[in-house]
Amino acid sequence: MFLTLTSADAAEPLRSWLVREGIASRPLQGGRALLVTDPWVPPDLRRALADHPAVVSVEETVELPRLALTAPAPAVHPGALPLVAGPCALESLDHALETADFLAGLGVRWLRGGTNKTRTSPRAFQGAGVEAADWLRLAADRYGMRCVSEVTEGPDAEAIAERLDLVQIGARNMHAPRFLQRIGRLGKPVLLKRGFAATPEEWLWAAEYLLDAGAPGVVFCERGMRTAAPLKRFTLDLAAVPFIQRMTASPIWVDPSHAAGSAPYVAPLARAAVAAGAQAVIVECHPDPARACSDALQALDFPAMTALAADLRRLTPVCEKAGAL
Ligand code: PEP
Ligand code: MN
């Protein structure tokens, strides 16, 4: 942003104000202008600057996604318990029903479950496709839950999406603009995972592809980044939580399971995400992790899920009081 000011006296107070907001800027033209070098100025601050009596005009220096200026917020609130859960991949109708029955009993309102999986290895279990989406829909309906699953490029993306309340774009497909447009055209809210190494620009522009094509809203989901020396599968970038909340009106969920890749690490990361203000965590669980067809090592068993739900229930009122949620 390039701000033309009424007088040179205004530059320093405005610059200090921006410093307190964590935003870099520098005076130009002997203080008659201020160049805001950080492109990520939250919309409310952007408006306050434009309305400031010492600001004559505002020029945008980079094109920002519409989403970073005003964002439609989808109605996907996980309820009192900020927890969305289910298996990495659905293995049978019984598997879906057993998991939904257990999770509904914990107070979980959103069920996840993989249908077509984006597995790293072509030899790994690929998911049961549309049939799995039927199991997921049936299980969610039986227990009064809503459901989310990933859709992948392929002929049955639409058929799977039709059965879902929230359509997930996986980390590997965040960078596929034509696919984003195809899914946006379905007119359903989308859970947009962040690519392993996606910059804020790439993530927000990916959301913009969805919105431009017709998606009524996007829920962002941080799921871990590939860094130089991660201790576990990925490095969970929790700065994404305040970033998305400052820059957009969209919810942000966090997936601690794929970040951790290992069950004992999932609950601590989930608690940290909720403490940071995430609207929900999306966690993989399985009635018998050792027999899971995919991501067995990171699946929580039912006792571990029960403990996590209790932790999040305790944490949520504290965070709400502190204004994080
Ligand atoms: C998933 O949630 O099932 C999944 C594969 O996640 P990601 O795209 O983040 O790897
Ligand atoms: Mn998984």
Side-chain angles (χ1 to χ4, degrees):
M1 286 175 94
F2 184 86
L3 310 176
T4 307
L5 309 179
T6 48
S7 83
D9 299 340
E12 209 33 53
L14 280 175
R15 199 188 67 82
S16 326
W17 178 27
L18 288 169
V19 167
R20 286 195 299 278
E21 295 288 338
I23 296 196
S25 65
R26 67 189 168 89
L28 292 178
Q29 300 172 4
R32 303 286 307 227
L34 196 65
L35 177 68
V36 182
T37 48
D38 186 339
W40 302 111
V41 180
D44 51 348
L45 185 55
R46 192 171 282 279
R47 275 191 295 276
L49 285 170
D51 293 344
H52 196 281
V55 175
V56 179
S57 66
V58 176
E59 239 178 279
E60 294 296 345
T61 46
V62 278
E63 193 192 353
L64 283 179
R66 168 169 65 101
L67 189 101
L69 305 167
T70 51
V76 280
H77 299 296
L81 183 63
L83 179 59
V84 176
C88 177
L90 291 158
E91 295 159 13
S92 66
L93 176 59
D94 282 351
H95 179 221
L97 291 172
E98 181 183 359
T99 309
D101 177 54
F102 163 73
L103 291 171
L106 280 186
V108 174
R109 312 275 12 118
W110 277 82
L111 184 64
R112 67 147 283 151
T115 48
N116 277 342
K117 301 298 302 172
T118 43
R119 304 305 301 281
T120 304
S121 160
R123 283 180 272 292
F125 176 62
Q126 300 292 313
V130 183
E131 200 184 4
D134 280 332
W135 302 333
L136 182 67
R137 180 76 268 163
L138 208 145
D141 287 346
R142 181 163 309 174
Y143 292 94
M145 300 170 88
R146 292 200 267 174
C147 63
V148 53
S149 184
E150 179 178 353
V151 290
T152 57
E153 283 176 295
D156 52 9
E158 283 77 8
I160 290 178
E162 206 172 90
R163 290 155 168 81
L164 307 172
D165 298 300
L166 183 63
V167 181
Q168 178 176 327
I169 298 284
R172 292 160 187 80
N173 276 327
M174 191 216 86
H175 294 284
R178 298 288 163 261
F179 184 58
L180 297 174
Q181 288 172 328
R182 177 175 164 198
I183 296 307
R185 281 196 291 272
L186 303 178
K188 292 206 157 199
V190 177
L191 180 69
L192 179 63
K193 292 279 193 99
R194 182 181 182 186
F196 302 158
T199 63
E201 284 87 347
E202 289 164 343
W203 199 14
L204 265 63
W205 280 117
E208 197 87 337
Y209 268 108
L210 292 162
L211 295 173
D212 282 356
V218 171
V219 180
F220 289 88
C221 184
E222 165 62 35
R223 47 81 70 216
M225 312 278 302
R226 190 153 275 162
T227 57
L231 290 176
K232 300 309 297 173
R233 196 173 174 189
F234 293 94
T235 302
L236 190 61
D237 183 7
L238 282 182
V241 174
F243 175 79
I244 292 296
Q245 288 173 339
R246 271 168 72 82
M247 289 307 303
T248 80
S250 301
I252 169 135
W253 294 4
V254 170
D255 172 349
S257 301
H258 289 92
S262 168
Y265 291 78
V266 171
L269 293 181
R271 293 192 298 263
V274 168
Q279 273 83 5
V281 284
I282 177 163
V283 175
E284 288 187 349
C285 67
H286 195 281
D288 184 0
R291 299 173 73 90
C293 286
S294 70
D295 283 347
L297 295 179
Q298 71 201 31
L300 297 192
D301 61 15
F302 288 178
M305 277 306 295
T306 306
L308 176 59
D311 284 351
L312 297 184
R313 233 182 248 296
R314 270 195 299 274
L315 200 51
T316 306
V318 178
C319 296
E320 273 171 353
K321 214 161 146 199
L325 281 174

